[in-house]
Every structure is written in structure tokens, then in C-alpha cells.
Amino acid sequence: MTQLALVIDLNVCVGCHACVTSCKEWNTSGEAGPMVDKNAYGENPTGTFFNRVQSFEIGTYPQTETVHFPKSCLHCEEPPCVPVCPTGASYKREEDGIVLVDYDKCIGCKYCSWACPYGARELDEQQRVMKKCTLCVDRIYDENLPEDERKPACVMSCPTSARMFGDIHNENSDVSIAIREDAGYQLMPEWGTKPSNHYLPRRKIKIKIHKDELERVDNPLSKEERKRHNAPGKGPSLDDMTTW
Amino acid sequence: MHPAFSVIFLTTLIGAGQGLFLALFTGQIFSQFNLMPEQHNSNFYVIGSLIALVLMTLGLFSSFFHLGHPERAWRSAAKWRTSWLSREVIALPATMAGIFAYGLAHYMGWTSPIFTMPGGTAVDATLLTGLLATILTYTLFVCTGMIYGCIKFLQEWHSPLTVINFILLGTASGFTLVTTLSAYMKTDLTSFYASWAIFFTVLALIFRLASLRRNKRIKPISDLRSAIGVNHKNIRQMAQGSMGGSFNTREYFHGKKASFVKSMKVIFLIFAFIIPLVLLGASLGTPSAYIIPLIAIVIQFMGLIAERWYFFADANHPQNMYYQQIS
Ligand code: SF4
Ligand code: SF4
């Protein structure tokens, strides 16, 4: 069984919104589009997005840090949004685990959006159907694209490579290795939705240095050592300095 | 959650229609089993069923305003195996058909016994259709309640109290309505109905207070720590990824001040329960003055609209954690 998913590295994401804009650009002009934009140049611009980058401040000043947090549909393995859909417009694909909405069947009742704890679904105000991330299903299988471009638009655009794409059911895929080795986690695991998308936590690279590592105790070139050695008759032999 | 008037009217109107039917049938059972003076005025049942059908049709009509594509509504019967909403979509017309059959049986006077029960009670078409419609009515109540009750992370709704309250509030308003009808048509059942209406209104009040109490004590299972996966007590949102709001900021927030929500609670407790109880008590003594229960049902219905508004506003969706700060 394949389960395609994104793995997002919060340690790398700089909050530049490149994934947001390239997602919108690809999808508004693709099969999932158009994605409405209202008052794009007005006071309260609003519209449909599949992916949003949010920012959180952790801690209390001055001990704070900012976490940029991209959020889109997590393509849950147990998606609560699917069984509630009365029309069957929302479904999870057997072959690759992508959760999709059939825009021709959706009646826009919004019930699925109530049943997603992550707020990943947005009703398009123009088409009046439910929309959400498709994992660029119209891209990743497109044989007209060069093979290394058969990835979601967000993954392609991320300038820091904070986004990875792959099959989390394949233990040897890049995403599985990243999840396993870099402490990948799921959002709100308490609801049993088993999100497929994973996040990699912030990790600080720290090295432990002990004092004796900073200052060499037996440094023959230190002032004290040299004084001692330079005393008459006590000068260093070549063996004290080098080995060969 | 954002209280949508389409859904508020749907649930309160069909609830009252269902309750009205249950009241009619209760009256019939009591007289059929000779627990009460026989009620021969079949017009009462016919008109009652008709009013129930009108209420439910209005509810159904208002539900269409909730949909983005009402013309595709027929598709929503497809997934009844998994979706309570789909089940409701089937149960609603089925219940209406049942109530229609019940009214029709009375209208046509199909009262000759089809068979006789061991106790000597004659069973006729009105009783059978009534029984069928009762089962359907309760099925519909359960479906409607479970639409809200089945979403486990909406903790305010995820409780048997949700279904119980839908049943009791609908039944209470239906009995108040039938009291009015009975007083207007001058049947002998008015005091009987008024006392049942008082009983159900009190019962509904008890269970509604129980759910208010429960919801007040709810501890949210998710917090920002599990929402973004950072283990720190002090997390503050700086930006939510949109400047002018989004579907997420509109659909899941009531958008009113806390004081407004609180006043809605007081209003619905007074309008849906206290005033109707006083008026119903008054109409116990004066069963012919239909104006008293009429005022009672109008006020109670307004109260129930406020109640439903509060029901939605009270539910706190976990996605709101991601949308606390616009910038
Ligand atoms: S993130 Fe939400 S919309 Fe996506 S599969 Fe999970 S529950 Fe469904
Ligand atoms: S809005 Fe569309 S996809 Fe969502 S539950 Fe309703 S019909 Fe299904």
C-alpha cells in the first residue's frame, strides 16, 4: 500500500510563503481551479488556499523563538472528513492514499469541514464546493513533466528544501527515513486521525565542550610551560614537541 | 461554530413538526386505549398532521439555503452507511411520508379495525400508520442529533445529551403547539396536552441544564502544543496566513462578544422554558382560551431559535487554535 505524504521540516522553514503562492498558482490554473480571490486589492482580501503558512511565537520575551508552520490537508490515514460526506464527494484513494473531493458531486454542505480537526478544508465561495490540498494529483503523475518535477508544486518551490514528498509506507523512502531518524511527528495525534503528513521538529545543533577541552592542560607552548622548560638545563627535547 | 440560520431553522422547525406528530399520536393512543374520553374529532388529527408537514417542509426548504449546490441535494442520500447527514436526508422525507399517511388515514376515516389485539383493543389503519410514523420520527431525531453528536473533537456536542436534547426540545415545542391547536378546535384534550407540554418542557429544561453544566466543565483535549507539536506552555500565534480572514475564520467562529453569547443563554432559558411553563400552567385552568398557549408556542419557538444559536456558538472547534490572530 502506498501512502503519499509531505514531510515538513520546521527546522528549515523560513516562512517565506513560496509554497503558498506556488500552490495557488498551480492549482488555480489546474484541475482544482479556479481558486477564488475576493477583494484581492481591497481592504479585506480573502480567498481559497490549499496551503497556508502560519507563524507562532514560542516562549516569553526575551527567551522567544519563532516557528513558521505551513499547514495543508494532512491526507489522514483515518480521515474523519470522508465518512461524514453524505454524497461520497470526499474520498480517499486506495492506490496512493490521497484524500480528494469530487467537485462535480459536492453539494457544498460543509459537513466535512466540521469533521476535519485541522481546518484543512475551505469552501470556495465562487464555485461553492469544498476544496483542499490534492497533493498536486494532476502533477505528480504527469508523464509530460520531467521525472524530477513530478512533485507537488509546494515541494518544487521551497527555496530551503523544507518540504519532502514521498511514500511513508515505504520504509526506505526519503520521507520515511526523515520521519524515523529526525523525530517526525503528527499533528493532534489524540484524535486517531493518523495524519500522513509529518513535521520534523525544531532541533538545535549543540556540541558539549568541557573546560579542559578549551584549555589544554599539558600545552608545551603555554607561557608557564615554556618558562619551566626554558630554565637552564631543563629545555625541551625534540621528543617533547613532536613524535615521528 | 458559526450558527447558520438555515440549520437553526431546519432543526427547530422539523423538531416542532416531529413533536407535534408525537403529541397527536399520544392523544390518540390514550383515547384508543380508553385512558381518556374518546376523541372523535378526526379533523383534529388531520389538521395537526398537516401543520406538522408544513413545519417540516419549511425546515427542509430552509436547509437548502445551507448548501452550495442545492440542485445536487439528491446526491446526499448516497452515503447512508457512514454519514448521519445522509441518513437524515433519507429519514426526513420518510418521516414526512409517514405523517402524511397518518393524516390521510384519519382523513379517509380508515378506522374499521384491521385486527383485534388479545386485550380487545381494535387496531386500525390510523394506529398502524401512527406507529410507523412514530418509529420514523424517532429515527429522524436520532439522525439529526447524531450529525452533531458524532464529531468527537467537538467536545461540547459529543455526548448523548445532544440527541436527548434534540428529542426533548422538539417534543416539548410540539406538545405546546398541539395544546394551542386543541384549545382552538375546542377538543376535550387541551388540559391533557397542556400537562404533557409542561412535563416535556420541564424534562427538556433539566436535560438542557445538564448539558450546560457538562459543557462548562469541559477540558479541551487538544491544545496548541499538540496542534503544532511544540512542547511549550507559552505559544502565541503571530500570523495565520491570511490578512482579511478566510473560510476558517468565518465558519468556525460565532463572531460575537462573550457577553452576547451569555445573554443568548439567559434569553433561551427564559423564552424556551420559563415563560412557556407559566403560560401553559395558566392554560391548564382555562382550556378554552387558545390565545394563551398560542403566545406560549410563539415565545417558546423564539426561545428554541436562541437555544439552537447558542448550541452552535457554544461548540469550540479545535481548528480555531490555528486561527487566533489575523495578520
Ligand atoms: S487533514 Fe482534514 S481534510 Fe485532510 S484528510 Fe485529515 S481530516 Fe481530512
Ligand atoms: S461539502 Fe461536499 S465534500 Fe464536504 S461533506 Fe458536503 S458534499 Fe461532501
Side-chain angles (χ1 to χ4, degrees):
Chain A
M1 269 272 288
T2 310
Q3 173 65 62
L4 297 180
L6 297 172
V7 171
I8 298 163
D9 192 343
L10 298 184
N11 201 39
V12 176
C13 174
V14 292
C16 69
H17 292 249
C19 53
V20 177
T21 45
S22 78
C23 165
K24 178 109 180 183
E25 191 279 330
W26 173 263
N27 284 299
T28 201
S29 34
E31 273 175 34
M35 289 152 74
V36 69
D37 268 318
K38 287 201 164 167
N39 312 324
Y41 304 100
E43 201 175 334
N44 283 313
T46 181
T48 308
F49 285 81
F50 293 171
N51 178 32
R52 294 181 188 270
V53 176
Q54 310 188 321
S55 300
F56 293 88
E57 184 180 72
I58 321 287
T60 323
Y61 181 82
Q63 247 107 51
T64 55
E65 70 175 300
T66 306
V67 168
H68 300 293
F69 177 78
K71 179 169 81 74
S72 55
C73 169
L74 308 167
H75 298 278
C76 302
E77 298 202 46
E78 300 286 344
C81 55
V82 167
V84 300
C85 173
T87 62
S90 278
Y91 62 104
K92 185 171 176 71
R93 300 197 341 159
E94 288 282 330
E95 62 270 35
D96 53 14
I98 300 182
V99 176
L100 288 178
V101 181
D102 183 337
Y103 301 146
D104 295 330
K105 277 193 191 160
C106 175
I107 57 173
C109 69
K110 306 184 219 169
Y111 193 28
C112 54
S113 70
W114 296 8
C116 167
Y118 309 100
R121 296 175 162 249
E122 302 190 8
L123 188 90
D124 192 278
E125 279 186 35
Q126 186 180 316
Q127 267 175 299
R128 308 188 66 76
V129 293
M130 198 50 75
K131 297 201 169 175
K132 60 178 273 303
C133 161
T134 66
L135 268 186
C136 285
V137 72
D138 52 348
R139 227 196 122 81
I140 55 180
Y141 296 113
D142 188 349
E143 300 196 342
N144 296 323
L145 291 173
E147 197 161 342
D148 63 340
E149 281 183 25
R150 291 179 209 159
K151 293 178 198 160
C154 57
V155 177
M156 294 286 300
S157 68
C158 179
T160 59
S161 305
R163 305 174 75 94
M164 279 172 270
F165 168 68
D167 174 15
I168 58 160
H169 282 183
N170 171 0
E171 283 86 0
N172 300 319
S173 65
D174 288 352
V175 282
S176 290
I177 293 172
I179 293 169
R180 200 163 56 234
E181 297 185 352
D182 295 327
Y185 65 88
Q186 297 167 317
L187 304 183
M188 289 198 244
E190 58 271 26
W191 300 117
T193 55
K194 292 209 203 148
S196 303
N197 284 12
H198 282 66
Y199 288 80
L200 305 183
R202 293 297 286 262
R203 19 200 207 290
K204 294 273 162 64
I205 310 293
K206 286 180 185 149
I207 40 170
K208 280 219 175 82
I209 299 179
H210 299 287
K211 198 159 187 296
D212 57 341
E213 288 170 318
L214 283 176
E215 213 174 302
R216 206 174 136 183
V217 232
D218 58 345
N219 184 357
L221 296 177
S222 73
K223 205 165 138 202
E224 290 76 22
E225 281 291 296
R226 265 188 284 155
K227 261 196 193 147
R228 201 155 62 83
H229 285 286
N230 288 345
K234 285 196 164 185
S237 72
L238 207 54
D239 288 345
D240 285 336
M241 307 296 234
T242 56
T243 49
W244 58 70
Chain B
M1 300 294 291
H2 171 73
F5 273 99
S6 49
V7 184
I8 292 177
F9 279 114
L10 164 72
T11 52
T12 49
L13 283 168
I14 65 172
Q18 287 164 269
L20 172 55
F21 163 75
L22 290 179
L24 291 175
F25 193 54
T26 313
Q28 182 184 349
I29 298 264
F30 270 72
S31 45
Q32 202 134 3
F33 288 82
N34 299 321
L35 299 170
M36 260 195 351
E38 190 94 22
Q39 176 59 41
H40 289 297
N41 189 354
S42 71
N43 262 349
F44 174 66
Y45 296 114
V46 177
I47 295 178
S49 309
L50 207 64
I51 297 176
L53 284 174
V54 168
L55 289 174
M56 294 174 80
T57 312
L58 285 176
L60 186 63
F61 179 71
S62 107
S63 75
F64 279 100
F65 289 94
H66 186 70
L67 302 182
H69 281 278
E71 77 284 0
R72 299 177 186 165
W74 58 273
R75 284 186 182 277
S76 58
K79 290 288 165 183
W80 55 271
R81 280 191 190 82
T82 59
S83 169
W84 283 104
L85 178 54
S86 187
R87 288 171 200 160
E88 188 199 36
V89 165
I90 298 169
L92 179 51
T95 308
M96 290 172 72
I99 296 175
F100 179 78
Y102 175 74
L104 188 70
H106 274 290
Y107 181 72
M108 304 297 282
W110 291 334
T111 46
S112 50
I114 300 175
F115 60 91
T116 313
M117 287 208 300
T121 319
V123 175
D124 61 17
T126 59
L127 204 61
L128 285 181
T129 49
L131 220 53
L132 177 75
T134 305
I135 295 169
L136 288 168
T137 298
Y138 276 106
T139 314
L140 177 55
F141 267 134
V142 171
C143 292
T144 312
M146 280 309 284
I147 289 178
Y148 308 97
C150 76
I151 305 178
K152 59 182 167 185
F153 42 80
L154 278 165
Q155 289 172 265
E156 287 82 357
W157 292 351
H158 188 57
S159 145
L161 285 173
T162 301
V163 177
I164 294 174
N165 279 324
F166 270 78
I167 295 178
L168 288 179
L169 293 168
T171 309
S173 60
F175 271 84
T176 314
L177 185 55
V178 103
T179 309
T180 317
L181 183 67
S182 153
Y184 182 75
M185 295 187 68
K186 302 205 176 16
T187 69
D188 319 328
L189 299 175
T190 310
S191 313
F192 165 80
Y193 278 133
S195 32
W196 273 109
I198 291 174
F199 171 75
F200 278 116
T201 306
V202 170
L203 201 62
L205 176 61
I206 293 171
F207 276 94
R208 194 61 180 98
L209 288 175
S211 91
L212 283 179
R213 195 180 128 95
R214 172 186 176 271
N215 290 357
K216 206 170 169 181
R217 299 170 167 212
I218 278 181
K219 286 205 182 68
I221 292 176
S222 296
D223 60 5
L224 259 178
R225 277 185 283 188
S226 69
I228 66 169
V230 174
N231 190 16
H232 198 294
K233 272 201 291 261
N234 198 355
I235 307 176
R236 203 164 64 86
Q237 186 162 35
M238 313 287 289
Q240 59 168 20
S242 69
M243 285 155 63
S246 60
F247 175 74
N248 306 70
T249 60
R250 293 185 290 266
E251 181 67 10
Y252 306 87
F253 289 94
H254 47 71
K256 294 278 188 289
K257 287 208 183 76
S259 57
F260 182 89
V261 180
K262 208 166 176 182
S263 66
M264 266 323 225
K265 178 164 78 180
V266 179
I267 287 174
F268 91 68
L269 286 174
I270 294 175
F271 276 53
F273 302 106
I274 311 295
I275 300 180
L277 279 176
V278 172
L279 291 173
L280 285 168
S283 71
L284 265 183
T286 49
S288 54
Y290 71 88
I291 195 79
I292 301 177
L294 182 65
I295 299 173
I297 183 59
V298 170
I299 289 185
Q300 188 168 42
F301 194 73
M302 293 191 324
L304 288 182
I305 290 175
E307 189 277 335
R308 219 34 57 86
W309 188 95
Y310 184 84
F311 171 77
F312 282 102
D314 190 35
N316 190 18
H317 200 288
Q319 80 101 36
N320 289 356
M321 286 185 292
Y322 297 109
Y323 296 88
Q324 301 177 18
Q325 188 80 44
I326 291 188
S327 78

